[in-house]
Amino acid sequence: MVKQIQFNTRLSRSEVESLTMNYFQLHKYYRLQSEDGLRFRTYLEMQSVLSPSRLNDSVKVDITETGTGCLVSCTFNLVNDRITSIDEEYFEAFLEHFRQALLQRKITMFSGEKFEQESKQYSKLYIWVMVAAGVIGFIISLLLKAEFLFIALAISFPAIGVWAVNRKRKRQEKSS
């Protein structure tokens, strides 16, 4: 899965490249060798179970010169399609922050703390749902005497956990 933003800027290609490299260095990404565009990968750090940064594999920034400046396309390659609504909002906010940083020529740190805190609140629910699904899956596979069925069911446990988190979050937003 990918998250992407595309925008035009009046900056020159060299300015965009310099600002982009500074931006991602500030956010603890290192540059990868690439023949097409700029590529970055983040350093692995300890994070909560549902931390939005758990999904980030790499970032690709393509810069195309136009007559009035550059067209910038920034793409996050996510390692998993199972993303919570918190993850969606996090990547949208991060990409918008990147866009604003380039347009204003002012590199500042993106604070994803709000998203990290909210994801921590839902981590317990996610784990409990996965454990409950595991127990139910185990019982079903024992009752049907089909142990191989448990493996098939286990593949769906993370999706069930993400569904539960999204559902509870949606309910809480409606009630407030």
Side-chain angles (χ1 to χ4, degrees):
M1 174 169 230
V2 297
K3 285 300 206 181
Q4 182 175 13
I5 191 169
Q6 194 172 41
F7 59 93
N8 288 303
T9 179
R10 295 194 183 277
L11 303 173
S12 69
R13 182 181 185 91
S14 61
E15 286 178 295
V16 172
E17 284 179 355
S18 176
L19 288 168
T20 299
M21 286 189 279
N22 290 339
Y23 183 85
F24 284 103
Q25 271 186 331
L26 177 66
H27 290 89
K28 299 180 182 174
Y29 285 77
Y30 60 93
R31 186 166 179 206
L32 299 172
Q33 293 297 324
S34 174
E35 293 184 16
D36 61 328
L38 300 172
R39 289 189 182 267
F40 303 92
R41 180 162 283 148
T42 187
Y43 293 101
L44 295 175
E45 294 179 350
M46 291 297 293
Q47 50 206 261
S48 66
V49 173
L50 289 179
S51 170
S53 57
R54 79 192 186 285
L55 297 167
N56 186 4
D57 178 42
S58 65
V59 180
K60 181 179 180 190
V61 181
D62 289 319
I63 304 163
T64 307
E65 290 184 273
T66 63
T68 58
C70 291
L71 174 66
V72 180
S73 177
C74 181
T75 306
F76 273 99
N77 295 317
L78 305 180
V79 294
N80 197 330
D81 286 341
R82 294 184 201 112
I83 60 174
T84 66
S85 53
I86 301 167
D87 300 327
E88 288 272 348
E89 291 173 18
Y90 171 84
F91 285 107
E92 287 171 12
F94 190 93
L95 288 168
E96 180 58 27
H97 185 265
F98 170 68
R99 184 178 82 81
Q100 290 298 324
L102 258 61
L103 293 176
Q104 296 171 1
R105 297 181 188 168
K106 185 177 180 184
I107 305 300
T108 59
M109 189 69 177
F110 172 72
S111 176
E113 192 63 33
K114 172 186 120 182
F115 302 103
E116 292 290 336
Q117 290 302 322
E118 191 173 3
S119 70
K120 284 180 185 176
Q121 292 174 358
Y122 289 100
S123 291
K124 189 181 277 188
L125 169 67
Y126 178 78
I127 292 169
W128 276 108
V129 167
M130 290 208 16
V131 168
V135 170
I136 292 168
F138 184 70
I139 291 170
I140 289 171
S141 64
L142 282 179
L143 290 175
L144 297 176
K145 296 184 182 189
E147 289 78 23
F148 63 89
L149 181 63
F150 182 73
I151 295 169
L153 291 172
I155 293 170
S156 67
F157 297 164
I160 295 168
V162 166
W163 172 83
V165 167
N166 286 337
R167 184 177 168 106
K168 182 169 183 174
R169 189 166 184 255
K170 187 183 247 183
R171 280 187 178 169
Q172 286 179 337
E173 286 175 356
K174 282 183 181 179
S175 67
S176 54

